[in-house]
Amino acid sequence: MRVFAAVLPAALLAGCVTIPGVVDEDHLERAAAAVSSDEGFAGLAAGAVEQTSQHFVTHAYGAVQTARIAAMAETAYSRIMVDTGLFSFQSPAGLYNIVVYADADEYHRKTGEAGWSDGVAAGRSVYSYEGPGLDAALSHAMTHLVFRDFIGHDNLDYRWVNEGLAVYEESKAGQPASGGVAPALPPWPQGWQPLSQDTLVHLAPASERERGTSAWFRQAGSMVRFMIERGGRIGFGQFLSGLRQDAAFDKAIGDSFQGGWNNFASFYAAWVTAQQ
């Protein structure tokens, strides 16, 4: 799932939605011949439906399917807000776009994405396709949009947090808007050794091609999960606020998890111990 840099200054997110679903204030459920794209991707075919909800403008085929996808997106958004503790963040930037193609063939043909891709976040939009993995794909890509909007700048050192959070939220697809519970992680293989802090920060994979099998993605997701579930969602939200200020990991962690971890090294050591 490739992620393009945001076109506008980052700052989206709103409060948690207690009851996800469609907020169709203008009764928008109209046919759309094409969809504007942040990356110039070809839009949906004539007859597609556009549905506005609280945080998204969703484009898909069929009124029932589009309403279902809009509700799915709102649930995923709310789950992300709960897990990140970013309830109070408000953005003047407007709504996200969700574009869902009919199938993988239309998605790959119109976006030009690699065959392994199941979704892409571009600018303020998420592109994916109908299928059993749609909820997970939206959850992953949407997390990238939320992270970029909140942080407001690109820092490659933060990529493990961005990807780890996206992997964590993808694993929670299907869980309720109130946060739900992530599935249990399988044990590490025999003889497993954790990647070092330096490797995690500076040697991230070039793409997400192997995000389902890569040790780097698995460790990033596990570390973010540990930070959220052991350190607390409020602390994690404060940690993200530190990154938004472009703080080093030591300061962001020490300021956010007082009484827990003093710096990146102590957090990493605690995570490693918990894996044994």
Side-chain angles (χ1 to χ4, degrees):
M1 185 179 301
R2 186 157 51 107
V3 183
F4 297 93
V7 176
L8 301 174
L12 181 61
L13 305 187
C16 178
V17 182
T18 49
I19 303 178
V22 172
V23 180
D24 193 6
E25 297 175 355
D26 299 318
H27 304 288
L28 292 176
E29 196 174 272
R30 60 179 182 272
V35 177
S36 61
S37 166
D38 293 294
E39 288 297 319
F41 297 151
L44 301 181
V49 169
E50 178 182 292
Q51 178 72 64
T52 299
S53 60
Q54 187 169 353
H55 301 102
F56 303 97
V57 179
T58 300
H59 310 263
Y61 295 110
V64 173
Q65 293 91 325
T66 304
R68 174 181 58 82
I69 294 167
M72 179 188 296
E74 291 291 350
T75 298
Y77 180 88
S78 297
R79 217 165 37 231
I80 295 167
M81 295 297 95
V82 169
D83 289 337
T84 57
L86 298 180
F87 310 107
S88 62
F89 183 68
Q90 299 286 336
S91 171
L95 304 178
Y96 286 126
N97 282 305
I98 302 276
V99 181
V100 177
Y101 296 98
D103 51 33
D105 177 71
E106 184 184 17
Y107 166 76
H108 292 296
R109 177 164 41 84
K110 290 186 174 179
T111 66
E113 287 297 296
W116 51 263
S117 173
D118 59 1
V120 58
R124 297 180 63 79
S125 300
V126 170
Y127 300 83
S128 189
Y129 57 88
E130 276 278 18
L134 178 59
D135 195 348
L138 290 181
S139 296
H140 188 105
M142 192 186 303
T143 301
H144 287 315
L145 295 189
V146 166
F147 186 91
R148 174 169 286 117
D149 268 344
F150 182 75
I151 299 300
H153 58 85
D154 286 321
N155 185 327
L156 292 179
D157 287 355
Y158 299 169
R159 188 178 170 210
W160 72 268
V161 184
N162 188 351
E163 292 290 356
L165 182 60
V167 167
Y168 178 61
E169 293 302 329
E170 178 180 358
S171 77
K172 297 180 73 176
Q175 293 294 315
S178 57
V181 178
L185 293 174
W188 295 99
Q190 187 174 7
W192 168 80
Q193 292 294 324
L195 302 175
S196 68
Q197 293 172 241
D198 187 67
T199 298
L200 189 73
V201 174
H202 299 299
L203 294 179
S207 76
E208 293 186 338
R209 174 191 292 270
E210 299 177 347
R211 80 172 189 266
T213 58
S214 162
W216 187 91
F217 281 97
R218 182 175 176 185
Q219 180 166 325
S222 176
M223 289 175 66
V224 168
R225 176 176 181 159
F226 183 76
M227 187 176 284
I228 291 172
E229 296 183 355
R230 294 290 184 89
R233 289 160 169 168
I234 293 176
F236 186 75
Q238 293 172 343
F239 169 69
L240 292 182
S241 294
L243 300 188
R244 190 181 188 190
Q245 301 300 318
D246 208 18
F249 286 123
D250 284 347
K251 178 172 175 54
I253 290 174
D255 289 349
S256 304
F257 303 101
Q258 296 180 16
W261 310 306
N262 298 323
N263 50 36
F264 191 15
S266 64
F267 160 72
Y268 177 81
W271 171 79
V272 170
T273 298
Q275 308 313 301
Q276 298 171 353

